Amino acid sequence: MLRDPSVKYRSFPTIDMPDRQWPSRTITKAPRWLSTDMRDGNQALIDPMNAEKKLRFFEMLVRLGFKEIEVGFPSAGATEFDFIRSLVDADRIPDDVFVQVLTQSRRDLIEKSFESLAGARTAVVHLYNAVSPAWRRIVFGMDREGIKQIAIDGANILREQAEKYPETDWRFEYSPETFSTAELDFSLEVCEAVMDVLEASPERPVILNLPATVEAATPNIYADQIEWFCRNLTRRDSAIISVHPHNDRGTGVAAAELAVMAGADRVEGCLFGNGERTGNVDLVTLALNLYTQGVDPGLDFSNVSEVVGTVEYCNQLPVHPRHPYAGELVFTAFSGSHQDAIKKGFAAQAQRNDRYWDVPYLPIDPEDIGCSYEAVIRVNSQSGKGGVAWILEQDKGLKLPKRLQADFSRYVQEKADAVSRELNAADIWETFEAAYHLGGGQPFQLIDYREDSGAGGARSFVGRILSDGQEQTVSGRGNGLLSSVLAALRDGYGIELEIADYQEHAIGHGTDVQAAAYVECKGCDGRNHFGVGIDTDVATASVKAILSAATAARG
């Protein structure tokens, strides 16, 4: 890399428009969407989609709610042409869906494009030619007038071909390709010339697509370009302003959002940002960004994982695990502080009457796009007590007291360090059972017991306990069940414990309900020991919790 890149690269010029309006605007409704996955996205694949994959993709786009779909580049070859014809001939295009094809401004290619869609109820033919200085100078060796004439000639052929197939309601789109790196006044001049030829009107507007064919500037400059164009177009009411941002600088989504604020009516892009080089703007992210601002995007991503599966199958490209909204890990928190905030957020959301979503670290409710809460918090060596407690609550219904959460987190940390991987719910439960002696064969195993009441409110506990393979009957007296059990442990095993905290709650509902009991006891050594008991009877669960703490105290 150069120490002084300015000797090789120039900063992009700004737009002189001090009264720009877009920065103070808010997007309050969704733009029109066009999916170009089957054209721009498909031509960027290592192995382009075959007919079966293209049909699967098309049908998915229709289910998602896309009303405008660019289905291919029919003059590129027989595979493209035949697939487009199959959509028309088999009547697979819904009445409310506009299919679109792309063509360069050449007679033979335009004629092929019309042939591919002849007989469709409604169709859009998308004409383009590059207009920027680099293309004029390097690729075409033409001046401005020559480039404008290419567009005018193409527009005339569009009209001629539309008249040849009157059974189809033809609509037209024109793209001054490389708009983002062209002179604004020249792009405007060419577009207005095309509108004149096509006789654009408010009743039959022309789509003017203004692409960032190569993203060469910050998103605010693209927004300035769009606003300048909209403000200077003489027949704004006869044009649908469309944008087609690429992602070369990694800001395609921002550029599209700012372009809509600047006056764009329509956005062209691909699901998950597929496309040439760094890809087209990502329509999933754009749509769900709107959704999280309370704006209906008009697209249904309520099962985003299914969309991911179809796109990955058709494109043979993975969706990154950190991809916004759709990635496998985007709702996942491993960090202890993140987990604690999310856990508290969910608890507050459940208790709050306010209908608005407000959970830390989660800009959207995962359930809205078909993701379960089970994957929100995942545990590794970076996790804290809150995340571990969340997993146990979601998986087993246990609501651990704060101090027990802290005690258990050290066992989880030891486990995570030992295995050097993420811990799943089964790992955590196995660790919990071992830490608090919930499985069979624990040192103090309750066989059965009885509880009696005496004079003056005194209570007695008599229990049969299996310890180290030996069954023993122990008894104790106290002012309640728990104190009676502590007395029995002291008299029978010499274990001195004092209860510092006790909590219990139900697990589940109806006939399958169980009770969970948690106890924190202080031993004669000054240390605190925790115990857990689970049983269908709450009293029995509390006895088991005391025995669990006694096991910890005995060491």
Side-chain angles (χ1 to χ4, degrees):
M1 294 179 69
L2 300 171
R3 295 295 299 274
D4 181 11
S6 68
V7 303
K8 187 174 182 179
Y9 301 100
R10 291 170 291 186
S11 62
F12 200 90
T14 58
I15 310 299
D16 183 17
M17 191 170 54
D19 62 340
R20 58 180 58 83
Q21 301 298 308
W22 65 261
S24 61
R25 293 176 182 159
T26 301
I27 302 175
T28 57
K29 68 174 183 177
R32 289 169 53 171
W33 306 108
L34 174 116
S35 162
T36 187
D37 289 270
M38 299 173 67
R39 196 277 300 170
D40 199 338
N42 187 54
Q43 71 187 38
L45 299 177
I46 298 169
D47 296 309
M49 289 183 270
N50 58 24
E52 181 269 330
K53 288 181 177 178
K54 291 198 83 169
L55 180 58
R56 181 178 296 202
F57 213 114
F58 178 78
E59 292 177 339
M60 175 188 67
L61 291 172
V62 171
R63 289 196 304 274
L64 293 176
F66 282 93
K67 302 303 180 185
E68 301 178 54
I69 303 171
E70 196 163 57
V71 291
F73 203 148
S75 59
T79 300
E80 290 282 282
F81 183 90
D82 292 344
F83 171 74
I84 297 165
R85 283 290 343 147
S86 74
L87 292 179
V88 177
D89 294 338
D91 198 23
R92 294 185 181 275
I93 305 168
D95 291 346
D96 61 345
V97 172
F98 285 44
V99 290
Q100 176 172 304
V101 296
L102 182 72
T103 179
Q104 293 167 305
S105 188
R106 281 174 38 191
R107 173 172 288 277
D108 59 328
L109 305 183
I110 295 172
E111 290 176 347
K112 196 74 170 175
S113 299
F114 275 86
E115 290 174 19
S116 72
L117 283 173
R121 282 177 288 274
T122 305
V124 180
V125 179
H126 179 186
L127 175 76
Y128 77 98
N129 67 301
V131 299
S132 66
W135 281 73
R136 297 197 308 261
R137 183 180 70 253
I138 298 169
V139 180
F140 297 117
M142 300 176 72
D143 60 11
R144 283 190 176 198
E145 284 304 313
I147 293 295
K148 183 169 76 170
Q149 194 60 49
I150 291 175
I152 291 171
D153 291 344
N156 276 307
I157 301 170
L158 291 183
R159 286 196 60 180
E160 169 198 302
Q161 290 296 304
E163 292 171 2
K164 185 178 177 181
Y165 302 99
E167 69 277 13
T168 297
D169 180 11
W170 297 103
R171 308 296 174 93
F172 304 115
E173 175 173 346
Y174 173 69
S175 289
E177 192 192 10
T178 64
F179 165 84
S180 57
T181 52
E183 308 94 332
L184 284 171
D185 65 324
F186 182 54
S187 295
L188 181 66
E189 180 182 337
V190 175
C191 286
E192 293 204 317
V194 169
M195 290 177 70
D196 288 341
V197 172
L198 297 176
E199 298 182 347
S201 67
E203 294 73 33
R204 295 190 67 81
V206 170
I207 301 168
L208 296 179
N209 185 51
L210 308 177
T213 306
V214 176
E215 188 179 38
T218 50
N220 61 297
I221 290 180
Y222 188 53
D224 280 351
Q225 292 173 325
I226 301 303
E227 181 171 335
W228 186 96
F229 190 95
C230 290
R231 288 167 64 170
N232 287 276
L233 187 65
T234 56
R235 287 179 287 158
R236 178 64 180 89
D237 62 352
S238 298
I240 296 162
I241 303 301
S242 179
V243 291
H244 184 119
H246 277 255
N247 197 42
D248 299 87
R249 292 170 55 91
T251 57
V253 168
E257 290 179 323
L258 298 191
V260 171
M261 292 164 63
D265 308 302
R266 182 176 183 263
V267 177
E268 297 187 357
C270 291
L271 303 184
F272 311 120
N274 184 37
E276 296 278 17
R277 304 180 313 281
T278 55
N280 293 279
V281 70
D282 173 16
L283 298 184
V284 178
T285 299
L286 278 172
L288 292 176
N289 281 356
L290 285 178
Y291 183 84
T292 63
Q293 301 302 300
V295 177
D296 178 9
L299 299 174
D300 182 7
F301 292 111
S302 56
N303 190 348
V304 75
S305 61
E306 182 180 289
V307 179
V308 169
T310 299
V311 171
E312 288 184 332
Y313 168 74
C314 293
N315 289 348
Q316 293 297 291
L317 290 172
V319 172
H320 196 281
R322 299 288 182 195
H323 195 99
Y325 301 108
E328 180 186 356
L329 297 176
V330 296
F331 298 122
T332 298
F334 290 104
S335 160
S337 60
H338 288 214
Q339 292 175 343
D340 184 62
I342 291 171
K343 179 176 179 289
K344 290 174 179 175
F346 274 125
Q349 187 76 21
Q351 296 173 3
R352 196 172 55 242
N353 291 326
D354 187 350
R355 62 192 175 93
Y356 290 106
W357 178 255
D358 188 20
V359 174
Y361 293 114
L362 296 179
I364 190 173
D365 184 346
E367 283 196 338
D368 285 359
I369 53 175
C371 300
S372 73
Y373 292 152
E374 294 174 4
V376 170
I377 289 178
R378 290 160 64 174
V379 173
N380 63 14
S381 60
Q382 303 298 308
S383 302
K385 62 182 184 297
V388 174
W390 166 264
I391 296 291
L392 282 174
E393 183 172 349
Q394 297 302 302
D395 191 52
K396 298 295 182 180
L398 300 180
K399 301 175 183 177
L400 306 189
K402 291 287 187 184
R403 289 177 56 79
L404 179 58
Q405 291 179 26
D407 184 71
F408 180 52
S409 66
R410 63 190 175 91
Y411 293 101
V412 175
Q413 186 73 43
E414 291 171 1
K415 176 77 169 182
D417 287 338
V419 300
S420 298
R421 63 170 172 81
E422 177 191 350
L423 301 184
N424 58 34
D427 294 323
I428 293 170
W429 177 242
E430 180 183 299
T431 305
F432 190 78
E433 283 188 309
Y436 301 106
H437 319 288
L438 298 178
Q442 63 266 42
F444 291 111
Q445 187 173 349
L446 181 66
I447 299 174
D448 62 30
Y449 75 96
R450 74 174 188 271
E451 179 188 6
D452 296 320
S453 299
R459 308 284 286 276
S460 65
F461 167 85
V462 179
R464 289 194 301 134
I465 297 174
L466 186 65
S467 177
D468 298 326
Q470 300 294 317
E471 183 181 317
Q472 182 174 341
T473 298
V474 295
S475 62
R477 296 178 64 84
N479 58 7
L481 175 60
L482 297 187
S483 60
S484 301
V485 177
L486 292 176
L489 289 172
R490 182 191 64 233
D491 296 341
Y493 298 104
I495 297 175
E496 293 271 3
L497 292 174
E498 177 183 335
I499 294 178
D501 183 61
Y502 173 83
Q503 296 184 42
E504 64 186 42
H505 66 80
I507 306 173
H509 303 280
T511 57
D512 296 328
V513 69
Q514 287 188 298
Y518 312 101
V519 65
E520 180 182 356
C521 296
K522 181 174 289 187
C524 58
D525 57 0
R527 295 169 56 203
N528 281 23
H529 308 284
F530 293 85
V532 179
I534 300 173
D535 198 86
T536 54
D537 174 69
V538 64
T540 303
S542 66
V543 173
K544 289 182 176 180
I546 294 289
L547 296 180
S548 170
T551 298
R554 194 173 73 163

